[in-house]
Amino acid sequence: MTTLKERDIIQQQFKERMDEDELLNCMRCGFCLPSCPTYIESGFKESHSPRGRIALMKAVVDGIIEPSEDVERTLELCLGCRACEPVCPSGVKYGHLLEEARDIINQSKKHSLPVRAVRKAVFQELFPYQNRMRTVTGLLGVYQRSGLQAIVRKTGLLQLLPDNLATMEKVLPKVPTMKELTNRPTHLEAKGVLKKRVAFFSGCLMDTMFLETNNATMKLLQMAGCEVVIPPNQACCGALHGHSGEKDGAKELAKRNIKAFEELHIDYIITNAGGCGAFLIDYDHLLKDDPEWKGRAKAFVNKLKDISTMLVELKFYQSLLRLPAQVLTYQDSCHLRNVMGVSDDPRSLLKAIEGVEFRETKDSDRCCGSAGIYNIVESEMSMQILDHKMENVKASHATTIVTANPGCLLQMKLGIEREGLSDKLRAVHIVDLLLEAAEYAQRI
């Protein structure tokens, strides 16, 4: 419950910090409405649309309404998928407005002691430190390999969890050993003719929970003719902080990453997770008010490329890629498509694989409902979105769903389990599939 004093502080902060020019850019035309999942899933409720949320933000700034629990709730319910941005004729940067509003509300409220403890543990004590991320991931690996996982499943203890969390436990990837987690490369030579010198942004969850996908990414870059540098002092991208009202923490992580990459003498910085890439490419906005860092942030942003774009530019699709007969479909990463503007490149690579059929799924560009930790904190809406997503996937008769973001990957695996399709359908990250296709072609 927000107190009267907290509401006054929030309202004052809205007036001081919200970009009024950006709020006024919204013409209320409604082009964003068909692209907004929460607007559609809520039964076309105006307050759950980008246009409606911007109107609420502007009303708070103007003092027309108070920043009530209802206002906070509608901002919380937003996925942050930013599908509204590419279709906006005025080019409103809705994602920037949403992050600023959430940060104001979070920093102005006095959270309960348990909430403060959890937020401190996650945002200050865990994600900024990769060694701690490895330790936590290593404990999950012990759970998976020691037999404890089998015991927990057999005794039915998972039934005490909400249905989506219990199912999520089933779809978590097999975690590497602690030796594999700590023995990470810092430099890899190109295979064949050297074409580019690139740095790889390895991320936090990607270099622990999804370590094999990172390994596959680096192998593909080498095969495409890239010398790969992996700076060991890089950090979490800060997306979780930025989306959860911890903007100062996001800024500190951004500075650490800029510093880690700026003296490497590289052509590009490569990412393989849509969510990370979209936050990284906004570093120049995040640090726009910092004279020391805004120029450095812009230089960092100008070197960013998604792995699929890099592979297309290097004509990796001309390599021999083959897989056993199967039907592929592609689920867009919202942030990769809507923020980084990458949608054709992954499809071009998938269509270059011999022996498979590629089919588009209806509304493949619409959010799957993962959205970071949204599927945990907003389970009902997330599962509603996922159920509709799976209806479209089933209609495509695909046997393999390809994604480009770890959250999307887990969400689609969750959807497969919920539909009882694990014997007919799989979900895989695009770089894992491409490496599988390249290695399969070499064997035959």
Side-chain angles (χ1 to χ4, degrees), residues 2 17 39 55 82 151 172 174 245 268 274 315 328 361-362:
T2 308
R17 290 176 51 184
Y39 174 73
R82 299 173 70 169
I151 294 172
L172 289 175
K174 295 298 180 185
Y268 301 110
K315 296 182 169 49
L328 307 180
T361 294
K362 180 184 177 184

Side-chain angles (χ1 to χ4, degrees), residues 161-176:
L161 297 174
D163 287 346
N164 67 313
L165 289 182
T167 307
M168 186 71 76
E169 190 272 349
K170 295 181 182 178
V171 302
L172 289 175
K174 295 298 180 185
V175 174

